Amino acid sequence: MEFKPIRNNDVDSWKEVNLIYNSALKEITTKLEILNDEFQHIHRYNPIEHIKSRLKSPESIVKKLKKHGRESTIENMVEYINDIAGVRIICSFTSDIYRIAEMLRNQNDIKVLSIKDYIKTPKPSGYKSYHMIVSIPIFLSDRVADTKVEIQIRTVAMDFWASLEHKINYKFEGNAPDSIKRELVECSKMVSDLDERMLSLNEEVTKYKEKELEAKEA
């Protein structure tokens, strides 16, 4: 599964494509770490639990291009595949998801290309997550390459569900029995309830701490 070497203004080889997308992952990850550190400094709280990043394998890219009837070329890969570079951000609370998304939107060099909010509108399977496709400039020695990155933001509970759902569907090669699919949807509802209760608890603790601080200062 090799890409045909097509020269264009952005890339002229798979190695260079790999370098550019790896650089995009580093750029986004560094931005997130800085924002997390700043939030800790100002609010004494980290909205990000941890960050995962990955590059899509050549085999997966070829498979996706074929699925959409595209020829397996570097040119098509860059133009039509939006999730070659992927970053997953895991948060404690649902409110953190939208806070982080807003912070990313406010970065001057990040251009948001599309948003899919699977939290407000979950997939039929029960899947919940907040997806952004962004473009970030990568400054090379001779040019600037605007590079797409898919960002997924979800809570620890959402990530736990999504990981197990993926493993279950993989075992059934995407054709899990209806009874298991229904059970997964029910589990997704339980995850949502847990997220809501933990968020409510966190807000209650925050109010308690604020009152405690006001009492000390009085």
Side-chain angles (χ1 to χ4, degrees), residues 162-212:
S163 177
L164 291 184
E165 189 264 355
H166 177 76
K167 289 178 181 178
I168 289 170
N169 275 315
Y170 182 80
K171 288 180 180 179
F172 287 100
E173 297 181 348
N175 295 307
D178 289 341
S179 59
I180 291 179
K181 290 180 181 179
R182 287 194 296 269
E183 190 66 23
L184 282 170
V185 172
E186 288 303 311
C187 288
S188 175
K189 293 176 182 176
M190 293 168 65
V191 165
S192 296
D193 181 58
L194 177 62
D195 271 335
E196 289 175 8
R197 293 178 67 179
M198 294 303 289
L199 177 59
S200 178
L201 180 61
N202 182 63
E203 290 172 345
E204 186 177 340
V205 170
T206 301
K207 289 178 182 178
Y208 177 83
K209 288 295 184 180
E210 288 175 351
K211 287 180 181 179
E212 192 178 59

Side-chain angles (χ1 to χ4, degrees), residues 124-139:
S125 64
Y127 175 85
K128 289 188 176 183
S129 186
Y130 189 93
H131 291 196
M132 304 172 72
I133 302 295
V134 305
S135 176
I136 185 167
I138 301 302
F139 293 87

Side-chain angles (χ1 to χ4, degrees), residues 16-217:
E16 188 168 357
V17 170
N18 199 53
L19 181 150
I20 291 171
Y21 280 104
N22 258 313
S23 299
L25 288 178
K26 290 177 184 178
E27 288 274 4
I28 293 291
T29 301
T30 300
K31 282 179 177 295
L32 289 166
E33 289 172 349
I34 292 171
L35 289 170
N36 203 37
D37 289 344
E38 181 196 23
F39 206 86
Q40 169 66 29
H41 174 70
I42 296 173
H43 302 286
R44 299 185 183 279
Y45 166 68
N46 289 337
I48 299 174
E49 289 285 337
H50 55 272
I51 303 167
K52 302 175 185 177
S53 63
R54 64 101 184 101
L55 277 183
K56 210 173 189 69
S57 69
E59 292 79 10
S60 295
I61 293 169
V62 169
K63 185 177 179 180
K64 195 164 188 177
L65 284 170
K66 286 184 176 179
K67 181 180 177 181
H68 295 285
R70 303 286 181 184
E71 190 179 359
S72 299
T73 66
I74 288 178
E75 187 176 53
N76 284 344
M77 178 188 82
V78 172
E79 184 171 356
Y80 297 110
I81 307 296
N82 294 327
D83 61 345
I84 294 171
V87 175
R88 184 174 300 157
I89 307 164
I90 312 300
C91 310
S92 298
F93 307 105
T94 309
S95 57
D96 293 331
I97 293 173
Y98 296 100
R99 183 179 290 120
I100 292 165
E102 182 63 24
M103 288 192 292
L104 286 170
R105 279 194 293 270
N106 289 336
Q107 297 283 302
N108 290 334
D109 57 345
I110 290 181
K111 181 180 180 181
V112 178
L113 303 177
S114 68
I115 290 173
K116 290 183 179 179
D117 190 341
Y118 295 117
I119 299 171
K120 293 180 179 177
T121 309
K123 290 185 178 181
S125 64
Y127 175 85
K128 289 188 176 183
S129 186
Y130 189 93
H131 291 196
M132 304 172 72
I133 302 295
V134 305
S135 176
I136 185 167
I138 301 302
F139 293 87
L140 302 173
S141 60
D142 58 347
R143 68 187 186 282
V144 178
D146 290 317
T147 309
K148 290 180 285 188
V149 179
E150 182 192 54
I151 300 173
Q152 298 178 356
I153 318 174
R154 57 179 70 155
T155 64
V156 175
M158 290 175 193
D159 191 56
F160 170 72
W161 182 94
S163 177
L164 291 184
E165 189 264 355
H166 177 76
K167 289 178 181 178
I168 289 170
N169 275 315
Y170 182 80
K171 288 180 180 179
F172 287 100
E173 297 181 348
N175 295 307
D178 289 341
S179 59
I180 291 179
K181 290 180 181 179
R182 287 194 296 269
E183 190 66 23
L184 282 170
V185 172
E186 288 303 311
C187 288
S188 175
K189 293 176 182 176
M190 293 168 65
V191 165
S192 296
D193 181 58
L194 177 62
D195 271 335
E196 289 175 8
R197 293 178 67 179
M198 294 303 289
L199 177 59
S200 178
L201 180 61
N202 182 63
E203 290 172 345
E204 186 177 340
V205 170
T206 301
K207 289 178 182 178
Y208 177 83
K209 288 295 184 180
E210 288 175 351
K211 287 180 181 179
E212 192 178 59
L213 182 61
E214 289 173 359
K216 288 181 179 179
E217 293 177 347

